[in-house]
Amino acid sequence: MFYKNKVAYTLLPYLLIISLITCCIEMDIVVPSFPAMAKYFATTEDKIQWTLGLNFLGFFVSTLFYGPLSESFGRRRVMVWGGVLFTLSGIGCALANSLPILILFRFLPNF
């Protein structure tokens, strides 16, 4: 039993670092697609930039909630539910047919 806990505590920092990297690297992945997204949604790039801005706003606001939730329910449970929400939001982004829906699904994975 002690060995499993030791491995879990050893791997936890790496899991957290990978989680943070995925949040930070998305700017490099999403920004080059802005012109194509603007053309697809028939809007301007200024409005497309809201997808990235509100995504980061959700990320920063959600940190106020994830800490207390982790204390109440445990880190593992919060990470699992966060991963499920992130996956469902990603599917919602892929299926979005309007800009407001895309913005909503970009904001949600952070909560």
Side-chain angles (χ1 to χ4, degrees):
M1 185 77 174
F2 178 76
Y3 182 72
K4 288 183 182 181
N5 288 339
K6 185 176 180 182
V7 171
Y9 285 119
T10 303
L11 294 178
L12 182 64
Y14 298 109
L15 177 65
L16 294 175
I17 289 170
I18 289 170
S19 297
L20 287 174
I21 287 173
T22 57
C23 291
C24 296
I25 202 168
E26 72 180 298
M27 185 181 301
D28 294 333
I29 294 172
V30 172
V31 170
S33 67
F34 278 1
M37 289 170 58
K39 184 177 178 182
Y40 178 80
F41 290 113
T43 188
T44 63
E45 284 189 41
D46 295 337
K47 291 181 182 176
I48 295 295
Q49 288 176 2
W50 279 94
T51 61
L52 191 61
L54 287 177
N55 186 28
F56 283 119
L57 177 67
F59 178 72
F60 294 128
V61 172
S62 69
T63 57
L64 299 172
F65 298 101
Y66 280 138
L69 287 174
S70 295
E71 292 293 324
S72 298
F73 300 109
R75 281 184 240 137
R76 183 180 185 279
R77 187 174 288 167
V78 172
M79 287 290 288
V80 167
W81 282 107
V84 168
L85 183 61
F86 186 81
T87 302
L88 293 175
S89 295
I91 292 169
C93 286
L95 299 176
N97 56 4
S98 69
L99 186 59
I101 293 173
L102 177 67
I103 290 173
L104 174 71
F105 281 117
R106 291 281 293 163
F107 182 75
L108 280 181
N110 299 305
F111 277 101

